Amino acid sequence: MLGESYEPRPEQLAMAGAVADAMHAGGTLLAEAGTGVGKSFAYLVPAIQRAIHHGQTVVVATNTIALQEQLVRKDIPMLQRALGLDPIDAESPTAPDNPDAPLRPALVKGRGNYVSLRRLELASKRQDKLFADPAMRRTLHAIEDWAAETQDGSLTSLPQLERPGIWDRVQSDSGNCMGRKCRNFDICFYQRSRRKMERANLLICNHAVFFSDLALRARGFGFLPRYDHVILDEAHSVEDVASEHFGVSLSEGKVNHLLSALFVERGAKGYLPNLATASTETEPVQKAIRHVREARDAAGAFFESLTFWRQEHAQGAGRVREPGIVDNLLTHPFRELATQLRNLREFAQQEADKFELNAYAERASDIADSADVLVDQTLEGCAYWVESSGGAASGRPPRVTIACSPIEVAPILRQHLFDRGESPDESPLPTSVTLTSATLTTRSTSEDEAAEHKETAFAHAIERLGCEGAAVLQLGSPFEYTTQVRVVVDMTMASPKYGQPGAYHDLLAQRVLTQVESTDGGAFVLFTSFSALYAVADRIRHDLLEQGMPMLVQGRDGSRSLILERFRDDPRSVLLGAASFWQGVDVRGEGLRNVVITRLPFDPPDRPLTEARLERIKERGGDPFREESLPRAIIRFKQGFGRLIRSRDDQGQVAVLDPRIVTAGYGRKFLAALPPGVEIERRSADHDSSDDSFL
């Protein structure tokens, strides 16, 4: 019923049983399921049973778009057919569905993913006043052409835009939604998706949507319907995503984007000049424009002062340890701007403009409130920092961001997600929460090990997430790693020395080239920093070009999905990646036969949030390295290792260019996290003696 390619796996059945038990009894389950277990079916089947036979609603949240699309386009339709159910398209809000069907899946996206037909029409009518240059108008016309054909009205199907910022003028927005007053209400893509969501009993969303809703629920309201069970796939990312959504961030780009939408000096373009021409009362509009100018001056001075502060603290990573490092120049002018925009509503001739003004006022108020929190550090238990992006090296103008995030999300998640019973805001908490990933533990355990030993393997995840008392399940992969993969450790590689980055990068480039050549390409080269990635890319580009091996560099050669597609197209390609390429990337077959890990993936200890977490552990008398740095590095190492073998037919090597994995005392903990039986080959090939002084 599931097709000829389906094969039953004991590990999958064990996980399905554990998820079903958790849903029946209530509570929390942490399930690590190795690559190839088929964990999506293992949790979807019991989820569907709860929806059909118990009238309950289940939320499934993934971290990556790729897995979300796999669930709604492949896995759920396959299970619908296998169970003899009428197929319901979970993805498209315009697809017909049956509100009485026993299984009603729905893909849930954030509101900003959908086009507002009313706002698009409004922008089209006012384009000469709104948009200052031809490229912006061309982008608007491209969106109009797409909107006439699209079936889902979301960013998923939108082609690449010449000026992506134009989307902000046409996207669905809660602040300016006219609701049932809008003549497009019945055909609105967002409203259709919301109606579908409210009828659904199996909701598929991403972590960002789920934790955005959870943060709102913590303040007394949310947008997801009531649910009974939660399944968080790719759960190794939960702490970071939750931390981001329970924090506050204010960027120079965000502020300038709002001000430019309202008024642009060159050519007097923007929303407010257009409003002036449509109103009999021009003075209130001119007053609002003056407030925009004042806010722009204040923003320039505010972010300039943050830039100077950041330069003075260049030795650190921008951690802000005390309130008031700069004067709060934003809150007052942006509150004044918000007030004036709200006052303008009584002069607006069209109902649509009243809603537009409300949305702009909300955004100005949000900036004012965020500046207040971030400068005065009124949000307790958070790490605060200032960071900059762009600049001469990137070819983009520098942009500054000030932000904060909770140092520990465990107390927040414990209160609002894991504790059974009623939450303080009186919204019921889910009956069960299942967290699953291929990488949740810091070591492999055997089936006959005692339960307490298995819990120890999950200790870091349990502590960081606040799900004490959770049931745990660790399932190995059905793949034969002992015959499918070999692990090579380059013992000749050095650790970088302070003051010698150039020499280290020279040596690293040589070793990377050697490993890539050993498999004739088909390689992922994983870095822990973009500085090292770009340095090596510059050094090996010519050699790879001469050998006909295409080199793809994250951050230089297109989007993540684009370079991944190009990598798959040529089996001799070499992809250099950092950050996101350690996880959530699936390349099967001969195309990927070599994963090169350039360094053990420890987080930089001076990264503001990392630094704050380590300090918190030390204050409690703990060992920051053993309790935080090492477990995180091990889990990320497992993620990198897991890129290689994605099916029973895959074969290849993982090359580790960091001998600490066998020479350092903690190295054995990395090795213990590998699948049982994988042999380690230490390679000490002859090398130029000129390198000896560096070792």
Side-chain angles (χ1 to χ4, degrees):
M1 296 176 70
L2 290 174
E4 295 181 1
S5 61
Y6 176 78
E7 54 186 49
R9 305 160 198 170
E11 299 91 349
Q12 188 181 61
L13 295 175
M15 179 175 168
V19 174
D21 289 343
M23 289 180 167
H24 174 72
T28 302
L29 169 68
L30 272 68
E32 181 179 80
T35 307
V37 165
K39 64 181 185 300
S40 61
F41 274 22
Y43 60 68
L44 282 175
V45 169
I48 290 171
Q49 288 178 333
R50 299 308 294 189
I52 293 177
H53 300 299
H54 298 271
Q56 296 180 323
T57 299
V58 183
V59 172
V60 177
T62 73
N63 191 48
T64 60
I65 293 174
L67 180 53
Q68 197 176 32
E69 291 179 345
Q70 175 191 314
L71 295 180
V72 299
R73 296 179 183 177
K74 179 183 175 184
D75 295 347
I76 293 174
M78 186 180 294
L79 289 171
Q80 286 175 316
R81 291 191 296 269
L83 295 170
L85 301 173
D86 292 333
I88 293 178
D89 186 347
E91 189 168 11
S92 174
T94 61
D97 65 354
N98 179 3
D100 298 320
L103 180 66
R104 303 179 298 280
L107 175 62
V108 181
K109 301 178 184 179
R111 183 168 195 151
N113 283 273
Y114 293 97
V115 66
S116 165
L117 297 174
R118 177 188 64 79
R119 296 191 74 208
L120 177 61
E121 182 181 356
L122 193 65
S124 180
K125 289 179 179 178
R126 299 175 174 180
Q127 57 184 286
D128 291 337
K129 281 289 185 181
L130 289 178
F131 305 123
D133 65 78
M136 299 172 107
R137 292 190 288 274
R138 286 196 301 270
T139 300
L140 178 67
H141 298 156
I143 295 175
E144 289 176 308
D145 293 342
W146 161 79
E149 302 290 337
T150 180
Q151 296 298 307
D152 70 343
S154 80
L155 287 169
T156 301
S157 61
L158 183 67
Q160 187 169 351
L161 300 177
E162 185 177 0
R163 292 294 178 87
I166 300 302
W167 177 256
D168 180 69
R169 309 292 185 91
V170 302
Q171 69 181 19
S172 182
D173 187 312
S174 61
N176 55 34
C177 177
M178 297 178 68
R180 294 187 177 277
K181 292 183 179 181
C182 180
R183 64 185 181 86
N184 294 314
F185 180 79
D186 289 336
I187 60 172
C188 173
F189 290 107
Y190 171 72
Q191 294 296 345
R192 284 181 171 184
S193 70
R194 183 162 188 85
R195 290 192 288 271
K196 187 167 188 170
M197 176 187 74
E198 290 170 348
R199 293 193 298 265
N201 53 13
L202 179 60
L203 305 174
I204 311 299
C205 65
N206 60 25
H207 287 179
V209 166
F210 180 79
F211 286 105
S212 177
D213 175 77
L214 198 66
L216 289 173
R217 285 175 183 244
R219 300 201 294 268
F221 56 94
F223 53 85
L224 289 177
R226 176 174 176 172
Y227 47 81
D228 302 286
H229 306 279
V230 178
I231 298 167
L232 298 172
D233 202 343
E234 301 176 307
H236 55 271
S237 300
V238 161
E239 182 184 7
D240 291 337
V241 178
S243 181
E244 178 183 349
H245 282 82
F246 280 92
V248 178
S249 177
L250 185 58
S251 70
E252 188 174 8
K254 175 182 178 179
V255 172
N256 289 340
H257 188 69
L258 169 62
L259 297 175
S260 297
L262 289 169
F263 178 68
V264 178
E265 291 284 357
R266 182 171 60 86
K269 300 289 185 180
Y271 176 76
L272 291 175
N274 177 81
L275 191 65
T277 63
S279 174
T280 57
E281 297 283 346
T282 59
E283 175 53 31
V285 177
Q286 293 304 318
K287 185 177 180 180
I289 290 175
R290 290 195 293 273
H291 279 295
V292 171
R293 289 186 171 121
E294 292 170 3
R296 182 173 283 126
D297 290 342
F302 177 75
F303 287 106
E304 184 178 47
S305 64
L306 286 177
T307 299
F308 288 148
W309 183 90
R310 184 73 184 83
Q311 291 170 348
E312 291 175 0
H313 296 78
Q315 295 301 317
R319 175 90 177 274
V320 181
R321 294 182 175 274
E322 57 186 17
I325 58 164
V326 298
D327 291 335
N328 182 0
L329 303 176
L330 286 189
T331 295
H332 177 72
F334 274 85
R335 282 189 178 148
E336 290 288 307
L337 175 60
T339 298
Q340 184 58 28
L341 292 172
R342 290 190 178 98
N343 291 340
L344 266 180
R345 290 180 296 184
E346 67 178 278
F347 299 100
Q349 299 297 305
Q350 298 184 32
E351 188 77 2
D353 283 317
K354 297 180 187 294
F355 287 91
E356 288 290 314
L357 286 165
N358 185 68
Y360 284 127
E362 284 187 4
R363 290 164 65 180
S365 291
D366 180 61
I367 289 171
D369 293 343
S370 296
D372 212 13
V373 169
L374 292 165
V375 174
D376 294 338
Q377 298 193 355
T378 58
L379 205 57
E380 296 182 357
C382 287
Y384 292 78
W385 68 90
V386 175
E387 61 187 11
S388 59
S389 61
S394 66
R396 302 190 307 272
R399 287 287 184 266
V400 180
T401 298
I402 182 169
C404 73
S405 284
I407 298 172
E408 296 176 315
V409 298
I412 298 171
L413 297 183
R414 189 181 298 118
Q415 177 181 354
H416 298 290
L417 183 61
F418 295 123
D419 279 354
R420 305 278 70 80
E422 298 290 321
S423 63
D425 60 11
E426 298 184 353
S427 62
L429 292 162
T431 301
S432 75
V433 181
T434 294
L435 301 101
T436 184
S437 169
T439 52
L440 283 176
T441 66
T442 54
R443 68 182 182 90
S444 297
T445 61
S446 62
E447 292 184 10
D448 56 354
E449 282 194 69
E452 60 267 23
H453 292 160
K454 293 182 182 294
E455 290 177 5
T456 300
F458 285 89
H460 181 260
I462 291 172
E463 181 182 357
R464 297 307 304 174
L465 297 177
C467 52
E468 294 81 2
V472 299
L473 177 69
Q474 186 180 37
L475 299 166
S477 170
F479 299 152
E480 296 290 340
Y481 282 99
T482 54
T483 59
Q484 289 183 258
V485 63
R486 63 173 181 168
V487 177
V488 176
V489 179
D490 188 338
M491 301 299 295
T492 69
M493 188 58 209
S495 295
K497 285 187 177 181
Y498 178 76
Q500 292 182 302
Y504 169 72
H505 292 148
D506 287 342
L507 186 59
L508 181 59
Q510 294 173 19
R511 300 299 188 264
V512 167
L513 197 59
T514 297
Q515 295 300 331
V516 166
E517 290 172 342
S518 71
T519 56
D520 193 34
F524 270 10
V525 187
L526 301 178
F527 294 82
T528 58
S529 72
F530 279 98
S531 59
L533 188 157
Y534 295 145
V536 169
D538 292 340
R539 286 164 169 80
I540 68 174
R541 181 177 297 277
H542 179 72
D543 292 282
L544 294 181
L545 184 64
E546 280 193 333
Q547 298 180 63
M549 296 183 195
M551 184 176 74
L552 301 165
V553 180
Q554 183 181 2
R556 288 183 177 176
D557 296 322
S559 67
R560 182 175 183 264
S561 58
L562 177 62
I563 62 176
L564 192 58
E565 181 180 345
R566 291 172 60 190
F567 178 84
R568 290 191 177 106
D569 288 342
D570 192 321
R572 300 186 71 229
S573 293
V574 178
L575 190 155
L576 278 62
S580 61
F581 276 96
W582 285 77
Q583 58 180 305
V585 179
D586 194 348
V587 179
R588 302 188 180 201
E590 183 67 11
L592 179 59
R593 51 195 177 274
N594 190 359
V595 172
V596 182
I597 296 175
T598 55
R599 291 193 69 188
L600 296 180
F602 289 101
D603 287 337
D606 64 345
R607 184 177 295 165
L609 193 52
T610 301
E611 185 179 58
R613 287 169 174 166
L614 299 180
E615 288 173 357
R616 181 66 58 87
I617 293 171
K618 191 173 183 179
E619 289 169 1
R620 291 199 296 255
D623 183 335
F625 179 76
R626 299 287 175 183
E627 295 178 28
E628 177 69 7
S629 301
L630 184 58
R632 279 184 177 274
I634 291 170
I635 289 172
R636 195 174 180 201
F637 175 76
K638 289 173 64 177
Q639 292 165 3
F641 176 89
R643 295 315 94 212
L644 183 65
I645 304 300
R646 310 300 298 176
S647 74
R648 293 182 184 274
D649 299 324
D650 290 349
Q651 288 192 333
Q653 73 171 24
V654 174
V656 182
L657 307 186
D658 191 336
R660 291 178 298 174
I661 196 170
V662 293
T663 61
Y666 56 77
R668 65 179 181 273
K669 293 188 178 293
F670 286 90
L671 299 179
L674 294 175
V678 172
E679 294 187 4
I680 310 300
E681 177 184 336
R682 304 188 187 197
R683 192 164 292 178
S684 301
D686 293 334
H687 59 279
D688 194 313
S689 60
S690 63
D691 292 332
D692 288 347
S693 61
F694 188 68
L695 293 173

